[in-house]
mmCIF file of all heavy atoms in Angstrom:
data_model
loop_
_atom_site.group_PDB
_atom_site.id
_atom_site.type_symbol
_atom_site.label_atom_id
_atom_site.label_comp_id
_atom_site.label_asym_id
_atom_site.label_seq_id
_atom_site.Cartn_x
_atom_site.Cartn_y
_atom_site.Cartn_z
ATOM 1 N N LEU A 1 0.796 -1.204 -0.051
ATOM 2 C CA LEU A 1 0.019 0.005 -0.004
ATOM 3 C C LEU A 1 0.874 1.253 -0.029
ATOM 4 O O LEU A 1 0.431 2.311 -0.543
ATOM 5 C CB LEU A 1 -0.965 0.032 1.232
ATOM 6 C CG LEU A 1 -1.976 -1.064 1.276
ATOM 7 C CD1 LEU A 1 -2.751 -1.066 2.556
ATOM 8 C CD2 LEU A 1 -2.888 -0.972 0.088
ATOM 9 N N ASN A 2 2.065 1.187 0.581
ATOM 10 C CA ASN A 2 2.947 2.297 0.709
ATOM 11 C C ASN A 2 4.397 1.829 1.001
ATOM 12 O O ASN A 2 4.568 0.617 1.197
ATOM 13 C CB ASN A 2 2.493 3.216 1.881
ATOM 14 C CG ASN A 2 2.334 2.400 3.173
ATOM 15 O OD1 ASN A 2 3.315 1.767 3.621
ATOM 16 N ND2 ASN A 2 1.159 2.526 3.796
ATOM 17 N N PRO A 3 5.351 2.693 0.807
ATOM 18 C CA PRO A 3 6.742 2.316 1.018
ATOM 19 C C PRO A 3 7.055 1.683 2.357
ATOM 20 O O PRO A 3 7.798 0.671 2.491
ATOM 21 C CB PRO A 3 7.563 3.558 0.781
ATOM 22 C CG PRO A 3 6.653 4.355 -0.099
ATOM 23 C CD PRO A 3 5.324 4.090 0.318
ATOM 24 N N GLU A 4 6.418 2.170 3.450
ATOM 25 C CA GLU A 4 6.663 1.636 4.741
ATOM 26 C C GLU A 4 6.348 0.192 4.875
ATOM 27 O O GLU A 4 7.102 -0.583 5.375
ATOM 28 C CB GLU A 4 5.905 2.481 5.776
ATOM 29 C CG GLU A 4 6.383 3.904 5.943
ATOM 30 C CD GLU A 4 5.820 4.870 4.858
ATOM 31 O OE1 GLU A 4 4.895 4.533 4.093
ATOM 32 O OE2 GLU A 4 6.421 5.965 4.807
ATOM 33 N N GLN A 5 5.103 -0.171 4.307
ATOM 34 C CA GLN A 5 4.677 -1.578 4.328
ATOM 35 C C GLN A 5 5.686 -2.393 3.512
ATOM 36 O O GLN A 5 6.026 -3.553 3.920
ATOM 37 C CB GLN A 5 3.304 -1.668 3.733
ATOM 38 C CG GLN A 5 2.770 -3.116 3.750
ATOM 39 C CD GLN A 5 1.411 -3.232 3.156
ATOM 40 O OE1 GLN A 5 1.108 -2.628 2.133
ATOM 41 N NE2 GLN A 5 0.545 -4.045 3.811
ATOM 42 N N ALA A 6 6.148 -1.967 2.343
ATOM 43 C CA ALA A 6 7.060 -2.657 1.511
ATOM 44 C C ALA A 6 8.316 -2.986 2.176
ATOM 45 O O ALA A 6 8.881 -4.066 2.182
ATOM 46 C CB ALA A 6 7.336 -1.863 0.195
ATOM 47 N N TYR A 7 8.857 -1.985 2.983
ATOM 48 C CA TYR A 7 10.089 -2.243 3.731
ATOM 49 C C TYR A 7 9.982 -3.126 4.990
ATOM 50 O O TYR A 7 10.888 -3.785 5.353
ATOM 51 C CB TYR A 7 10.774 -0.918 4.125
ATOM 52 C CG TYR A 7 11.411 -0.254 2.910
ATOM 53 C CD1 TYR A 7 10.804 0.721 2.145
ATOM 54 C CD2 TYR A 7 12.665 -0.819 2.479
ATOM 55 C CE1 TYR A 7 11.464 1.245 1.008
ATOM 56 C CE2 TYR A 7 13.261 -0.302 1.235
ATOM 57 C CZ TYR A 7 12.653 0.710 0.570
ATOM 58 O OH TYR A 7 13.227 1.145 -0.558
ATOM 59 N N ILE A 8 8.711 -3.102 5.547
ATOM 60 C CA ILE A 8 8.490 -4.079 6.588
ATOM 61 C C ILE A 8 8.477 -5.486 6.057
ATOM 62 O O ILE A 8 9.041 -6.435 6.604
ATOM 63 C CB ILE A 8 7.168 -3.761 7.293
ATOM 64 C CG1 ILE A 8 7.216 -2.480 8.171
ATOM 65 C CG2 ILE A 8 6.662 -4.932 8.156
ATOM 66 C CD1 ILE A 8 5.951 -1.942 8.619
ATOM 67 N N TRP A 9 7.875 -5.670 4.858
ATOM 68 C CA TRP A 9 7.868 -6.971 4.202
ATOM 69 C C TRP A 9 9.276 -7.379 3.863
ATOM 70 O O TRP A 9 9.686 -8.511 3.969
ATOM 71 C CB TRP A 9 6.962 -6.964 2.979
ATOM 72 C CG TRP A 9 5.531 -6.887 3.286
ATOM 73 C CD1 TRP A 9 4.906 -7.158 4.460
ATOM 74 C CD2 TRP A 9 4.468 -6.647 2.378
ATOM 75 N NE1 TRP A 9 3.520 -7.045 4.374
ATOM 76 C CE2 TRP A 9 3.257 -6.718 3.079
ATOM 77 C CE3 TRP A 9 4.436 -6.374 1.013
ATOM 78 C CZ2 TRP A 9 1.973 -6.504 2.454
ATOM 79 C CZ3 TRP A 9 3.227 -6.140 0.399
ATOM 80 C CH2 TRP A 9 2.005 -6.263 1.119
ATOM 81 N N ARG A 10 10.094 -6.420 3.287
ATOM 82 C CA ARG A 10 11.474 -6.691 2.918
ATOM 83 C C ARG A 10 12.248 -7.261 4.106
ATOM 84 O O ARG A 10 12.922 -8.204 4.075
ATOM 85 C CB ARG A 10 12.117 -5.499 2.341
ATOM 86 C CG ARG A 10 13.594 -5.813 1.913
ATOM 87 C CD ARG A 10 14.445 -4.556 1.817
ATOM 88 N NE ARG A 10 14.591 -3.954 3.156
ATOM 89 C CZ ARG A 10 15.186 -2.885 3.458
ATOM 90 N NH1 ARG A 10 15.754 -2.168 2.413
ATOM 91 N NH2 ARG A 10 15.290 -2.378 4.700
ATOM 92 N N ASP A 11 12.079 -6.527 5.246
ATOM 93 C CA ASP A 11 12.832 -6.967 6.453
ATOM 94 C C ASP A 11 12.429 -8.308 6.893
ATOM 95 O O ASP A 11 13.205 -9.104 7.311
ATOM 96 C CB ASP A 11 12.586 -5.877 7.589
ATOM 97 C CG ASP A 11 13.150 -4.585 7.294
ATOM 98 O OD1 ASP A 11 14.032 -4.526 6.374
ATOM 99 O OD2 ASP A 11 12.846 -3.583 8.020
ATOM 100 N N ALA A 12 11.100 -8.657 6.825
ATOM 101 C CA ALA A 12 10.609 -9.980 7.195
ATOM 102 C C ALA A 12 11.179 -11.074 6.290
ATOM 103 O O ALA A 12 11.613 -12.189 6.773
ATOM 104 C CB ALA A 12 9.097 -10.029 7.146
ATOM 105 N N LEU A 13 11.244 -10.810 5.004
ATOM 106 C CA LEU A 13 11.839 -11.777 4.052
ATOM 107 C C LEU A 13 13.301 -11.891 4.300
ATOM 108 O O LEU A 13 13.791 -13.061 4.320
ATOM 109 C CB LEU A 13 11.576 -11.294 2.616
ATOM 110 C CG LEU A 13 10.126 -11.372 2.162
ATOM 111 C CD1 LEU A 13 9.895 -10.697 0.859
ATOM 112 C CD2 LEU A 13 9.595 -12.783 2.169
ATOM 113 N N GLU A 14 14.055 -10.880 4.420
ATOM 114 C CA GLU A 14 15.488 -10.918 4.637
ATOM 115 C C GLU A 14 15.811 -11.689 5.971
ATOM 116 O O GLU A 14 16.811 -12.326 6.044
ATOM 117 C CB GLU A 14 16.137 -9.555 4.621
ATOM 118 C CG GLU A 14 16.105 -9.021 3.145
ATOM 119 C CD GLU A 14 16.769 -7.697 3.020
ATOM 120 O OE1 GLU A 14 17.022 -7.001 4.001
ATOM 121 O OE2 GLU A 14 16.988 -7.292 1.841
ATOM 122 N N ALA A 15 14.935 -11.487 6.975
ATOM 123 C CA ALA A 15 15.208 -12.196 8.248
ATOM 124 C C ALA A 15 15.092 -13.669 8.068
ATOM 125 O O ALA A 15 15.666 -14.406 8.824
ATOM 126 C CB ALA A 15 14.159 -11.710 9.264
ATOM 127 N N GLU A 16 14.338 -14.086 7.042
ATOM 128 C CA GLU A 16 14.221 -15.552 6.752
ATOM 129 C C GLU A 16 15.266 -16.006 5.697
ATOM 130 O O GLU A 16 15.197 -17.176 5.229
ATOM 131 C CB GLU A 16 12.846 -15.831 6.188
ATOM 132 C CG GLU A 16 11.736 -15.672 7.265
ATOM 133 C CD GLU A 16 11.871 -16.574 8.409
ATOM 134 O OE1 GLU A 16 12.252 -17.754 8.276
ATOM 135 O OE2 GLU A 16 11.614 -16.211 9.588
ATOM 136 N N GLY A 17 16.163 -15.081 5.366
ATOM 137 C CA GLY A 17 17.258 -15.485 4.387
ATOM 138 C C GLY A 17 16.785 -15.410 2.924
ATOM 139 O O GLY A 17 17.490 -15.977 2.086
ATOM 140 N N ILE A 18 15.725 -14.695 2.634
ATOM 141 C CA ILE A 18 15.242 -14.591 1.273
ATOM 142 C C ILE A 18 15.670 -13.235 0.678
ATOM 143 O O ILE A 18 15.352 -12.198 1.209
ATOM 144 C CB ILE A 18 13.671 -14.743 1.277
ATOM 145 C CG1 ILE A 18 13.243 -16.005 1.777
ATOM 146 C CG2 ILE A 18 13.172 -14.499 -0.142
ATOM 147 C CD1 ILE A 18 11.795 -16.151 2.000
ATOM 148 N N LYS A 19 16.430 -13.261 -0.325
ATOM 149 C CA LYS A 19 16.867 -12.027 -0.980
ATOM 150 C C LYS A 19 15.721 -11.465 -1.732
ATOM 151 O O LYS A 19 14.949 -12.161 -2.404
ATOM 152 C CB LYS A 19 18.009 -12.272 -2.007
ATOM 153 C CG LYS A 19 19.343 -12.734 -1.327
ATOM 154 C CD LYS A 19 20.401 -12.941 -2.317
ATOM 155 C CE LYS A 19 21.693 -13.338 -1.620
ATOM 156 N NZ LYS A 19 22.705 -13.586 -2.602
ATOM 157 N N CYS A 20 15.505 -10.111 -1.584
ATOM 158 C CA CYS A 20 14.399 -9.536 -2.228
ATOM 159 C C CYS A 20 14.740 -8.010 -2.549
ATOM 160 O O CYS A 20 15.753 -7.542 -2.081
ATOM 161 C CB CYS A 20 13.150 -9.561 -1.410
ATOM 162 S SG CYS A 20 13.250 -8.683 0.122
ATOM 163 N N ARG A 21 13.855 -7.418 -3.309
ATOM 164 C CA ARG A 21 14.103 -6.010 -3.644
ATOM 165 C C ARG A 21 12.801 -5.285 -3.622
ATOM 166 O O ARG A 21 11.749 -5.818 -4.091
ATOM 167 C CB ARG A 21 14.734 -5.924 -5.039
ATOM 168 C CG ARG A 21 14.912 -4.445 -5.478
ATOM 169 C CD ARG A 21 15.678 -4.380 -6.820
ATOM 170 N NE ARG A 21 17.017 -5.010 -6.662
ATOM 171 C CZ ARG A 21 18.166 -4.290 -6.516
ATOM 172 N NH1 ARG A 21 18.137 -2.986 -6.694
ATOM 173 N NH2 ARG A 21 19.303 -4.874 -6.395
ATOM 174 N N VAL A 22 12.714 -4.126 -3.094
ATOM 175 C CA VAL A 22 11.647 -3.210 -3.157
ATOM 176 C C VAL A 22 11.750 -2.390 -4.472
ATOM 177 O O VAL A 22 12.748 -1.761 -4.663
ATOM 178 C CB VAL A 22 11.507 -2.300 -1.972
ATOM 179 C CG1 VAL A 22 10.362 -1.227 -2.146
ATOM 180 C CG2 VAL A 22 11.327 -3.033 -0.662
ATOM 181 N N VAL A 23 10.698 -2.433 -5.327
ATOM 182 C CA VAL A 23 10.824 -1.697 -6.573
ATOM 183 C C VAL A 23 9.601 -0.673 -6.648
ATOM 184 O O VAL A 23 8.508 -1.016 -6.240
ATOM 185 C CB VAL A 23 10.654 -2.692 -7.805
ATOM 186 C CG1 VAL A 23 10.547 -1.984 -9.121
ATOM 187 C CG2 VAL A 23 11.740 -3.758 -7.761
ATOM 188 N N GLY A 24 9.864 0.533 -7.013
ATOM 189 C CA GLY A 24 8.837 1.514 -7.136
ATOM 190 C C GLY A 24 8.515 2.323 -5.936
ATOM 191 O O GLY A 24 7.504 2.968 -5.862
ATOM 192 N N ASP A 25 9.379 2.203 -4.885
ATOM 193 C CA ASP A 25 9.197 2.916 -3.733
ATOM 194 C C ASP A 25 9.436 4.475 -4.075
ATOM 195 O O ASP A 25 10.368 4.793 -4.738
ATOM 196 C CB ASP A 25 10.110 2.422 -2.600
ATOM 197 C CG ASP A 25 11.534 2.441 -2.974
ATOM 198 O OD1 ASP A 25 11.874 2.263 -4.098
ATOM 199 O OD2 ASP A 25 12.387 2.537 -2.044
ATOM 200 N N TYR A 26 8.609 5.201 -3.567
ATOM 201 C CA TYR A 26 8.654 6.661 -3.640
ATOM 202 C C TYR A 26 8.552 7.145 -5.109
ATOM 203 O O TYR A 26 8.912 8.322 -5.431
ATOM 204 C CB TYR A 26 9.955 7.195 -2.990
ATOM 205 C CG TYR A 26 9.948 6.881 -1.537
ATOM 206 C CD1 TYR A 26 10.821 5.963 -1.122
ATOM 207 C CD2 TYR A 26 9.023 7.479 -0.651
ATOM 208 C CE1 TYR A 26 10.814 5.522 0.302
ATOM 209 C CE2 TYR A 26 9.051 7.170 0.669
ATOM 210 C CZ TYR A 26 9.926 6.192 1.175
ATOM 211 O OH TYR A 26 9.955 5.883 2.505
ATOM 212 N N LEU A 27 7.987 6.332 -5.984
ATOM 213 C CA LEU A 27 7.680 6.905 -7.325
ATOM 214 C C LEU A 27 6.692 8.043 -7.252
ATOM 215 O O LEU A 27 6.828 9.040 -8.039
ATOM 216 C CB LEU A 27 7.085 5.800 -8.215
ATOM 217 C CG LEU A 27 8.088 4.858 -8.878
ATOM 218 C CD1 LEU A 27 7.323 3.789 -9.694
ATOM 219 C CD2 LEU A 27 8.988 5.530 -9.852
ATOM 220 N N ASP A 28 5.843 8.012 -6.327
ATOM 221 C CA ASP A 28 4.752 9.073 -6.204
ATOM 222 C C ASP A 28 5.349 10.387 -5.786
ATOM 223 O O ASP A 28 4.779 11.451 -5.923
ATOM 224 C CB ASP A 28 3.644 8.627 -5.291
ATOM 225 C CG ASP A 28 4.094 8.359 -3.911
ATOM 226 O OD1 ASP A 28 5.351 8.136 -3.641
ATOM 227 O OD2 ASP A 28 3.209 8.284 -2.954
ATOM 228 N N ALA A 29 6.571 10.377 -5.270
ATOM 229 C CA ALA A 29 7.192 11.646 -4.818
ATOM 230 C C ALA A 29 7.415 12.575 -5.929
ATOM 231 O O ALA A 29 7.293 13.826 -5.758
ATOM 232 C CB ALA A 29 8.593 11.341 -4.114
ATOM 233 N N GLY A 30 7.724 12.072 -7.118
ATOM 234 C CA GLY A 30 7.956 12.958 -8.204
ATOM 235 C C GLY A 30 6.731 13.345 -9.064
ATOM 236 O O GLY A 30 6.680 14.345 -9.708
ATOM 237 N N ILE A 31 5.747 12.405 -9.066
ATOM 238 C CA ILE A 31 4.644 12.608 -9.941
ATOM 239 C C ILE A 31 3.251 12.603 -9.285
ATOM 240 O O ILE A 31 2.268 12.638 -9.923
ATOM 241 C CB ILE A 31 4.698 11.636 -11.139
ATOM 242 C CG1 ILE A 31 4.732 10.235 -10.630
ATOM 243 C CG2 ILE A 31 5.827 11.977 -12.080
ATOM 244 C CD1 ILE A 31 4.742 9.227 -11.751
ATOM 245 N N GLY A 32 3.254 12.478 -8.007
ATOM 246 C CA GLY A 32 2.016 12.496 -7.289
ATOM 247 C C GLY A 32 1.411 11.107 -7.091
ATOM 248 O O GLY A 32 1.976 10.094 -7.576
#
């Protein structure tokens, strides 16, 4: 829903040893 949620999910995945990437975070900063 938002970048904060994405990074919480990323942290949960990385804690389990799963490599992941957040894509598209803060895209709305430049264009609304």
Side-chain angles (χ1 to χ4, degrees):
L1 296 175
N2 54 54
E4 293 80 13
Q5 182 182 44
Y7 283 102
I8 289 169
W9 288 348
R10 181 204 63 184
D11 292 347
L13 292 170
E14 289 182 349
E16 295 295 323
I18 300 170
K19 292 182 181 179
C20 65
R21 179 173 297 256
V22 175
V23 177
D25 53 333
Y26 301 108
L27 277 176
D28 61 344
I31 54 179

